[in-house]
Amino acid sequence: MNMEQAKQDLMKLQEQMSAYDHAMGLISYDGETTAPKGTAANRAHALGILSEITYKISTGKETVELLEYLDAHQQDLSDREKRMVYLLIKDIRFMQKIPMEEYVEYQKLIVESQDVWYNAKLNSDFASFEPYLEKMFDYQKRFAQYAAPDMDPYDYWLNEYEAGLCKEKLDAFFGALRQRLVPLIQACGQKPQVSDDCIKGDFPEDKQEALALWLMDTMGLDRQHVGLSTTEHPFTTSLGSHLDERITTHYHRDDVSSSMFSVVHEGGHALYDTGSDEDLAYTVLDGGVSMGIHESQSRFYENILARSKAFVRFLFPKLQNLFPEQMKPYTWQDLYRAVNRVQPSLIRTEADEVTYSLHVMIRYELEKRVMAGEMTVHELPEAWNKLYHESLGVTVPDDRQGVLQDSHWSFGAIGYFPSYALGSAYGAQFLKKMRETVDVDADLEKGDFTRINQWNREHIWHFGSLLTPQEILDRTLEAPFDPNVYLDYLESKCKDVYGI
Ligand code: ZN
């Protein structure tokens, strides 16, 4: 093998893998969006066969020899190539430890499990989903043990979603949040309640869709490369490369804010992915590096920008224009207060910024217990309801609005949830830094995202997965990560809305 040939083969291997990813991603995306409801078994069949092929390519002799050769000649590789080899070897080492039959079975199970979850949520029927969820937790425990037998299985997955993360660090992070959030929520609760009447009412779906597309344009998404459709649970996915990005939303006719903010949230993910350097397409460096950094972008656009006073002022005339009757009695100040109302509630994706992290902590606590074998999957609904009562003071009326609300567990994403709270906190510190050079409020008042996007592109997006999450934080923040910046941000928001 010579180096020139090896480098060419490295690129060819990644192109081939991204083509399979494209096909498999499209099959899953179709299942979530337009496929007829009875077709899950058909998709599972195709995905089973395709994942067997990708498993064989990844762990095959040719691939392993190529990567070992490149790894042994690090001195001849560019930084990009070194990182590609590192990430590919990491993936392959994982695959090599998992028996192929189990890997393929698991891929098929994901399709079935998502389908069962969808119906279980619809009918608020946890019992039908329970055996699938049990299998999901079992697989995640087993895969972690295969991959890192000496490591705690939950720590293994936390570190997969955000390199460097573990229970110990998260306990400290959540502890710091809880200490200031709980009294803040109580203080808001003691103030006269803020009305959210202006976002509740009757908002026809076609108008909400027009609003969604306008928001995508406003935030600078290129709709030639970013598509929008509807699903039960909103998400973002890249197909093959950052050149084809899909986001989804869910319209609630009685609440305009739900889809509005989820479009901006998913739009933030899509900006991050599509902001990768052009020449990273079809490589493992294409797209965002971790879920923590990903959520820092999505939650930055959703909350820090879209719920800011400056942006709401810009947004209000658009809502007046689309929903003239509904908006007639209200001002932009009413809208600002409504979308920043602090109110303990049942649904995470619709929670306000202040109570949001408590929703995440509940999921973290439950995952931790099940992964450690301290609790069974069967006990999850009751434990969920109990924690919601204890932490947020709300009574969960049914599993649809409780343990079945999120899709994550149905596709095995255990250890993902903490990224939401962590990302929110990263975002507040990014804002502080951005403000040093960009007049964020002046731009938002005009609905101009040019300089904001430019800042994010320069500091975060264009690297794709070239830098680690920690490297991005270190280079961008030029200071240690500090959750108190996030807590300061939330307190000043409450001061503004509630006069605390
Ligand atoms: Zn997200």
Side-chain angles (χ1 to χ4, degrees):
M1 203 177 301
N2 68 57
M3 184 46 77
E4 200 184 326
Q5 186 61 48
K7 286 188 177 189
Q8 277 176 25
D9 290 350
L10 172 69
M11 299 315 281
K12 232 166 75 189
L13 170 70
Q14 294 175 86
E15 278 181 43
Q16 198 183 9
M17 296 304 286
S18 72
Y20 280 103
D21 275 352
H22 190 161
M24 293 165 82
L26 194 52
I27 292 172
S28 304
Y29 174 78
D30 178 52
E32 301 262 346
T33 52
T34 52
K37 287 294 158 231
T39 56
N42 196 46
R43 277 193 304 285
H45 178 77
L47 284 171
I49 290 171
L50 288 168
S51 55
E52 193 174 319
I53 298 174
T54 56
Y55 182 95
K56 284 178 180 162
I57 296 173
S58 295
T59 55
K61 196 166 159 258
E62 222 176 299
T63 305
V64 173
E65 278 176 7
L66 170 69
L67 291 168
E68 280 173 354
Y69 173 82
L70 289 163
D71 195 37
H73 295 83
Q74 293 254 352
Q75 71 281 5
D76 299 325
L77 304 181
S78 68
D79 284 348
R80 277 189 181 191
E81 288 160 345
K82 273 185 210 160
R83 178 81 172 152
M84 285 170 188
V85 170
Y86 168 80
L87 291 173
L88 285 164
I89 288 182
K90 184 173 168 285
D91 265 7
I92 287 166
R93 296 275 180 258
F94 173 75
M95 298 281 248
Q96 281 174 326
K97 288 174 188 151
I98 297 186
M100 187 177 79
E101 296 69 33
E102 270 188 63
Y103 179 74
V104 173
E105 278 314 307
Y106 177 67
Q107 298 305 321
K108 291 199 229 171
L109 176 70
I110 290 176
V111 182
E112 239 184 298
S113 165
Q114 280 181 289
D115 192 53
V116 172
W117 165 78
Y118 177 86
N119 287 313
K121 181 179 173 184
L122 218 61
N123 303 315
S124 202
D125 172 20
F126 181 76
S128 65
F129 180 52
E130 190 183 313
Y132 289 85
L133 189 54
E134 229 161 58
K135 281 188 201 164
M136 278 298 163
F137 271 100
D138 285 349
Y139 266 111
Q140 298 304 329
K141 278 189 220 172
R142 224 170 32 243
F143 284 176
Q145 268 151 9
Y146 286 144
D150 299 330
M151 208 170 159
D152 174 89
Y154 192 44
D155 275 342
Y156 172 81
W157 286 113
L158 291 172
N159 181 62
E160 282 300 298
Y161 285 105
E162 192 71 1
L165 201 60
C166 60
K167 285 189 279 191
E168 201 189 328
K169 280 191 189 170
L170 268 178
D171 286 341
F173 170 67
F174 283 135
L177 292 195
R178 194 183 289 275
Q179 209 176 9
R180 284 175 65 185
L181 286 181
V182 172
L184 185 60
I185 295 165
Q186 276 167 357
C188 292
Q190 282 156 7
K191 288 280 172 179
Q193 279 317 284
V194 162
S195 161
D196 63 353
D197 288 350
C198 70
I199 49 173
K200 308 277 179 191
D202 186 30
F203 301 91
E205 219 169 270
D206 58 333
K207 295 278 179 61
Q208 289 202 51
E209 192 188 349
L211 176 64
L213 296 175
W214 176 83
L215 284 166
M216 287 171 73
D217 292 339
T218 302
M219 65 195 286
L221 286 163
D222 176 0
R223 284 205 278 127
Q224 293 298 313
H225 292 274
V226 185
L228 172 72
S229 53
T230 56
T231 48
E232 175 58 31
H233 199 99
F235 66 88
T236 303
T237 189
S238 298
L239 296 176
S241 79
H242 71 271
L243 301 168
D244 187 349
E245 194 80 7
R246 310 295 174 94
I247 68 170
T248 73
T249 187
H250 187 148
Y251 300 112
H252 294 268
R253 196 170 170 131
D254 59 352
D255 181 348
V256 73
S257 68
S258 174
S259 163
M260 187 162 80
F261 288 112
S262 73
V263 165
V264 180
H265 177 98
E266 303 306 335
H269 283 302
L271 280 172
Y272 181 19
D273 281 336
T274 55
S276 281
D277 279 339
E278 261 327 88
D279 54 359
L280 295 182
Y282 313 118
T283 75
V284 285
L285 303 187
D286 194 37
V289 64
S290 72
M291 285 335 295
I293 303 291
H294 242 298
E295 294 302 336
S296 83
Q297 297 305 286
S298 53
R299 299 213 22 101
F300 186 81
Y301 282 80
E302 174 196 356
N303 298 306
I304 290 176
L305 301 182
R307 285 186 157 92
S308 70
K309 201 177 239 178
F311 186 72
V312 168
R313 229 173 148 157
F314 169 76
L315 169 71
F316 188 67
K318 184 69 188 174
L319 289 186
Q320 280 180 311
N321 180 271
L322 283 168
F323 311 104
E325 280 309 305
Q326 180 68 31
M327 288 296 150
K328 207 181 257 170
Y330 304 110
T331 62
W332 71 263
Q333 288 92 337
D334 294 323
L335 180 64
Y336 172 66
R337 282 190 293 269
V339 299
N340 286 295
R341 179 168 110 131
V342 177
Q343 179 78 49
S345 62
L346 293 165
I347 310 293
R348 175 187 62 84
T349 54
E350 281 157 36
D352 61 82
E353 281 182 276
V354 183
T355 59
Y356 184 85
S357 293
L358 297 181
H359 291 258
V360 175
M361 288 180 216
I362 291 171
R363 286 150 179 79
Y364 168 64
E365 197 52 45
L366 295 173
E367 286 184 343
K368 208 160 67 164
R369 288 184 203 168
V370 177
M371 288 299 276
E374 293 163 10
M375 201 175 88
T376 64
V377 165
H378 183 72
E379 292 164 324
L380 267 175
E382 204 188 315
W384 178 288
N385 298 351
K386 191 164 171 270
L387 283 178
Y388 261 81
H389 193 75
E390 281 169 11
S391 320
L392 286 153
V394 294
T395 304
V396 180
D398 52 33
D399 291 338
R400 190 173 66 83
Q401 297 172 79
V403 71
L404 290 172
Q405 66 180 266
D406 292 305
S407 62
H408 303 59
W409 289 344
S410 76
F411 55 88
I414 293 156
Y416 182 125
F417 285 115
S419 322
Y420 289 112
L422 206 57
S424 303
Y426 292 164
Q429 214 167 336
F430 286 147
L431 174 75
K432 194 176 166 196
K433 199 71 196 160
M434 186 187 281
R435 282 198 199 281
E436 289 175 11
T437 50
V438 179
D439 192 341
V440 177
D441 291 330
D443 286 357
L444 287 176
E445 252 179 57
K446 292 179 282 184
D448 183 355
F449 283 73
T450 317
R451 285 189 297 177
I452 294 166
N453 289 354
Q454 183 52 41
W455 192 93
N456 283 328
R457 183 173 294 109
E458 190 186 318
H459 291 89
I460 302 162
W461 303 344
H462 86 96
F463 294 112
S465 297
L466 182 63
L467 303 181
T468 65
Q470 193 58 51
E471 282 168 339
I472 289 185
L473 293 175
D474 291 344
R475 289 168 70 134
T476 307
L477 300 177
E478 295 173 299
F481 165 59
D482 177 7
N484 285 305
V485 177
Y486 177 47
L487 292 160
D488 291 344
Y489 158 82
L490 291 175
E491 281 179 4
S492 90
K493 184 62 109 34
C494 290
K495 201 169 165 188
D496 196 34
V497 176
Y498 285 89
I500 289 164

